Amino acid sequence: MKLWKTILAAAVLSLAAATSAFAARTDLTLGIVLEPPHLDPTAGAAAAIGEVTYANVFEGLTRIDDNGQVQPALAESWAVSDDGKVYTFKLRSGVKFHDGSAFSADDVKFSLDRARAKDSLNPQKQLFAHITDVTAVNPTTVKVTLDGPQGSFLYDMGQVAAVIVAKASAEGNKDKPIGTGPFKLDHWAKGSEITLVKNSDYWGTAAALDKATFRIVPDAAAAVPALLSGDIQAFANMPAQDALAQVQSDPRFSVVIGSTEGETILSINNKKPPFDKLPVRQALASAIDRSAVIAAASNGLGKPIGSHFSPGDAGYVDLTGVYPHDIAKAKEYLKEAGLENGFSATIKLPPVPYARDGGQVIQSQLKEIGVNLQIIPVEWAEWLSQVFTNKDYDLTIVSHVEPNDIDIYSRPGYYFQYDNPKFNDLIKELGTTVDKDKRLELLGETQRILAHDVPAVYLFELPKIGVWDAKLQGMWTNWPIEADDLTKVKWTD
């Protein structure tokens, strides 16, 4: 009998081990190029913040899904008044923040009032400018009053900077983010990795992953070896460079080329001579060969653009022919500006490969018309401080990844320092227009103005080069919003 029990016990242990061996794994290590400066999306413009935290750690009243559509989030439903000014949100019950505190209408009021306050540090403060009142009707009902109809209000409330935070923990969210999402922060090893773990008290469908580690891989040359070794199992947007073909030929990986909302542009300081002259900006646009920039900066996968609008969005107008590549014409524009002998300037390039690689091509192209660029490499924190905040720059290259953000050219004090009253008026009209056809008409007009005025040279729409283990499911193909949403990510057996 003892022998039989021993054999049976051994069989049970063997079966358990076999079952464990074939169970789908529940951990994931993702590679990201840029380390966030902090983890509070309501207090910083760096896209890397939202890439880690959006939908994972923090949630808004609404959310943007992988198709770019508005979906319920902390608000399970809403009603809009007949005049389009009042939104009444029905909030979900039983929601808790990661520290165990209960979520309620008071948190929504606090978050929206904080975002629209005069001293707000929210990087997308403009999203909240039309809110005139926020009322917590009861713990699960919030009424938001606007100064007029806003065609994109529900979409705006689903953006990264519109996530809901608690008053008690708001000031500490940069280092210790406390949200309501399906994951919570486990640890952050600065310069190395950020690890999230499953939130066992999540109000919605539990995540399949127990742990997700975001590994910082700033060097494009290190990305492929990290994948091949298994140290990293996924890049939502991989800096593959010339090694992309190597990964594509490896059956262990899925390579999914998608689109983003990242308008990659040569940003111009429009108030700094000689760039305050339209013919100078026209000269730059005419001297740059987009195809060569795209080949060097995006593996040839970027889609050329002629204005600040994504080719994947409704209302896009192809304006790439407004200033075709024409060296002779570029020299004519410089002569018109009184600069037929050219001039010297600087270009500050953040560390992302598309900027550094694209910058070298543009430096070479502009030299053909006598514009001599000094390349100044800067780290991301320096770019945010010097270029974005202090406007201490001539030229720079960056991808603007916020969705549908053509309105940034109308924002006072924005780093382009561009000001066109007609454009500003169109943006105001667009904001209060609900009719779809009229909105598309206005979007076309705004794009044409930018294409003519060249407040920036529009290069290409940043592609999303997704590379991950072939057994991984649920990663986003496209980036309608720059976020590594892990809510549906899981391993297959």
Side-chain angles (χ1 to χ4, degrees):
M1 179 64 71
K2 289 183 178 180
L3 177 60
W4 171 247
K5 289 183 177 179
T6 301
I7 294 173
L8 181 61
V12 170
L13 288 172
S14 177
L15 179 61
T19 302
S20 175
F22 287 104
R25 64 187 296 178
T26 59
D27 67 296
L28 175 65
T29 301
L30 303 91
I32 56 175
V33 175
L34 296 175
E35 181 174 26
H38 57 77
L39 296 175
D40 183 358
T42 71
I49 301 172
E51 187 176 351
V52 173
T53 64
Y54 183 80
N56 298 324
V57 177
F58 292 107
E59 299 173 302
L61 289 171
T62 62
R63 60 166 292 170
I64 311 302
D65 67 15
D66 55 342
N67 295 311
Q69 300 300 308
V70 176
Q71 301 293 343
L74 291 176
E76 62 181 23
S77 63
W78 48 83
V80 186
S81 63
D82 291 341
D83 63 3
K85 293 183 179 181
V86 181
Y87 286 73
T88 302
F89 293 94
K90 177 64 176 175
L91 307 180
R92 298 187 189 275
S93 301
V95 178
K96 293 182 180 180
F97 285 95
H98 297 153
D99 60 1
S101 60
F103 159 79
S104 74
D106 289 337
D107 299 303
V108 177
K109 176 175 173 54
F110 166 75
S111 297
L112 297 185
D113 284 347
R114 174 175 177 252
R116 67 191 183 95
K118 289 184 178 181
D119 60 351
S120 171
L121 298 178
N122 192 291
Q124 297 292 327
K125 187 176 179 180
Q126 191 72 19
L127 298 177
F128 314 92
H130 297 284
I131 297 175
T132 60
D133 183 69
V134 183
T135 302
V137 179
N138 58 50
T140 59
T141 307
V142 172
K143 184 178 292 186
V144 180
T145 303
L146 310 178
D147 59 10
Q150 296 296 312
S152 61
F153 181 66
L154 290 173
Y155 189 95
D156 291 344
M157 291 302 98
Q159 292 204 40
V160 173
V163 296
I164 303 302
V165 299
K167 184 176 182 179
S169 56
E171 293 305 313
N173 279 336
K174 286 186 175 182
D175 295 313
K176 297 180 180 179
I178 303 295
T180 59
F183 294 93
K184 56 185 179 180
L185 179 69
D186 181 63
H187 73 271
W188 182 4
K190 297 289 180 69
S192 177
E193 63 185 31
I194 300 167
T195 298
L196 309 180
V197 294
K198 181 189 292 187
N199 172 18
S200 58
D201 291 328
Y202 184 56
W203 59 267
T205 302
L209 296 175
D210 290 329
K211 182 174 74 171
T213 299
F214 293 82
R215 184 79 48 78
I216 292 92
V217 187
D219 183 4
V224 172
L227 271 173
L228 296 176
S229 67
D231 288 343
I232 290 174
Q233 297 92 48
F235 277 91
N237 193 19
M238 182 179 176
Q241 303 304 100
D242 295 334
L244 181 61
Q246 177 186 356
V247 182
Q248 286 177 313
S249 64
D250 193 322
R252 294 177 297 170
F253 304 105
S254 294
V255 178
V256 182
I257 308 301
S259 62
T260 74
E261 288 287 330
E263 288 81 28
T264 306
I265 62 178
L266 176 71
S267 301
I268 302 172
N269 191 337
N270 283 245
K271 286 189 177 179
K272 189 169 185 180
F275 305 107
D276 56 343
K277 296 180 179 181
L278 175 59
V280 170
R281 303 195 301 272
Q282 291 172 316
L284 299 186
S286 300
I288 291 174
D289 179 1
R290 289 188 188 90
S291 61
V293 177
I294 290 171
S298 70
N299 298 94
L301 298 171
K303 294 183 179 180
I305 55 174
S307 185
H308 197 101
F309 216 78
S310 169
D313 289 344
Y316 169 76
V317 179
D318 184 357
L319 297 165
T320 52
V322 174
Y323 296 108
H325 180 226
D326 188 333
I327 295 298
K329 187 64 176 177
K331 290 181 179 179
E332 287 181 21
Y333 282 129
L334 282 185
K335 185 176 182 179
E336 181 183 342
L339 294 165
E340 59 268 30
N341 295 321
F343 61 91
S344 296
T346 61
I347 181 169
K348 293 187 175 180
L349 300 176
V352 284
Y354 68 76
R356 297 281 171 90
D357 295 339
Q360 292 182 32
V361 174
I362 289 174
Q363 180 191 46
S364 176
Q365 291 180 347
L366 293 187
K367 191 173 183 179
E368 293 185 55
I369 63 170
V371 176
N372 298 302
L373 292 186
Q374 176 192 357
I375 291 178
I376 302 177
V378 294
E379 293 306 309
W380 189 242
E382 293 176 299
W383 188 93
L384 288 170
S385 173
Q386 296 176 21
V387 178
F388 190 77
T389 302
N390 296 328
K391 308 171 189 68
D392 178 18
Y393 78 107
D394 294 337
L395 304 170
T396 188
I397 297 176
V398 71
S399 282
H400 281 260
V401 298
E402 292 79 11
N404 303 311
D405 62 346
I406 197 168
D407 68 296
I408 58 179
Y409 294 86
S410 68
R411 297 181 188 179
Y414 203 71
Y415 83 106
F416 302 131
Q417 303 206 83
Y418 168 73
D419 185 21
N420 182 321
K422 183 179 179 180
F423 179 87
N424 298 343
D425 289 342
L426 286 171
I427 290 296
K428 289 179 182 178
E429 185 179 355
L430 179 66
T432 59
T433 300
V434 177
D435 180 76
K436 182 178 179 181
D437 291 338
K438 183 61 177 177
R439 286 183 61 82
L440 294 179
E441 178 187 331
L442 292 170
L443 285 171
E445 290 186 53
T446 57
Q447 290 173 69
R448 291 183 180 90
I449 289 176
L450 294 185
H452 173 267
D453 286 359
V454 204
V457 178
Y458 302 100
L459 302 172
F460 62 91
E461 197 72 15
L462 195 70
K464 181 179 179 295
I465 306 173
V467 181
W468 46 78
D469 191 293
K471 294 182 179 180
L472 201 62
Q473 292 183 348
M475 297 286 290
W476 281 14
T477 296
N478 301 313
W479 256 357
I481 194 164
E482 188 164 343
D484 294 343
D485 182 345
L486 302 178
T487 56
K488 295 181 181 179
V489 173
K490 64 179 180 180
W491 292 93
T492 58
D493 293 341

